[in-house]
Amino acid sequence: MPDLKQKSFMAYAMEEAYAAQKRDEVPVGAVITHKNRIIARAGNEIIARKDPTAHAEILVIRKAASLLKTERLIDCDLYVTLEPCTMCAGAISFARIRRLYYGTSDEKAGAVDNGAYFFKSASCHHVPEVYSGFCEQEAGHLLKEFFAKKRRQN
């Protein structure tokens, strides 16, 4: 079972989620660690970049791969505030992320423990260790409040 340090790494992912919220993006944040230190951080930038692939997970994987000068992040762990979607689960697999820690489940669009169950698919080439429930209440509350506000505005 992961130790308490993972909670502090998830706190940095939560900071990225709050920053995304301030930019009026869906509040999802992610960090990647290598050798037990954070090497990349990102939050959703879909609206800012006008790019439907600019999810926090994709952006942080790109940053880490660029920093480490490799397409394989085999010694890296990913912390993300929301259960990854199918696109992001695919990127996690292709990047060979060692461990995935996520905050709150996404029953509608999640693909790890919900929906497509991507890592259980025969087409999945690499399956990371998966741990869930880190900052679950805070991450879930942030998302619920964000979408409730959006509904009130419409």
Side-chain angles (χ1 to χ4, degrees):
M1 189 67 181
D3 64 25
L4 293 177
K5 192 157 195 134
Q6 277 70 28
K7 287 190 179 183
S8 65
F9 290 143
M10 188 61 80
Y12 288 101
M14 286 301 306
E15 286 180 7
E16 293 297 324
Y18 283 109
Q21 178 191 37
K22 287 180 184 173
R23 297 188 304 270
D24 204 31
E25 299 274 2
V26 174
V28 177
V31 299
I32 288 185
T33 63
H34 179 255
K35 296 184 179 177
N36 219 22
R37 69 180 183 86
I38 294 173
I39 61 166
R41 300 170 58 151
N44 275 356
E45 293 186 27
I46 296 161
I47 296 167
R49 293 179 183 233
K50 309 243 181 305
D51 178 357
T53 69
H55 290 202
E57 299 96 312
I58 301 295
L59 298 175
V60 79
I61 287 170
R62 288 175 181 161
K63 287 178 181 181
S66 178
L67 178 77
L68 296 175
K69 297 178 180 16
T70 182
E71 72 284 2
R72 301 285 188 242
L73 303 175
I74 58 173
D75 294 325
C76 294
D77 299 336
L78 170 63
Y79 298 79
V80 62
T81 59
L82 180 65
E83 177 183 357
C85 68
T86 305
M87 174 183 68
C88 293
I92 291 164
S93 178
F94 282 115
R96 305 297 196 264
I97 298 285
R98 177 177 54 186
R99 293 185 197 103
L100 165 64
Y101 299 88
Y102 74 84
T104 193
S105 293
D106 186 347
E107 293 178 13
K108 187 174 182 180
V112 176
D113 292 320
N114 290 285
Y117 299 98
F118 184 83
F119 297 133
K120 293 179 182 175
S121 168
S123 63
C124 181
H125 300 291
H126 167 77
V127 179
E129 293 176 35
V130 177
Y131 302 95
S132 62
F134 291 88
C135 296
E136 182 175 18
Q137 290 182 340
E138 183 181 6
H141 179 75
L142 180 61
L143 285 158
K144 286 177 187 165
E145 287 298 311
F146 177 82
F147 287 113
K149 181 181 174 187
K150 287 290 184 188
R151 284 190 295 277
R152 287 191 301 270
Q153 290 173 349
N154 291 334

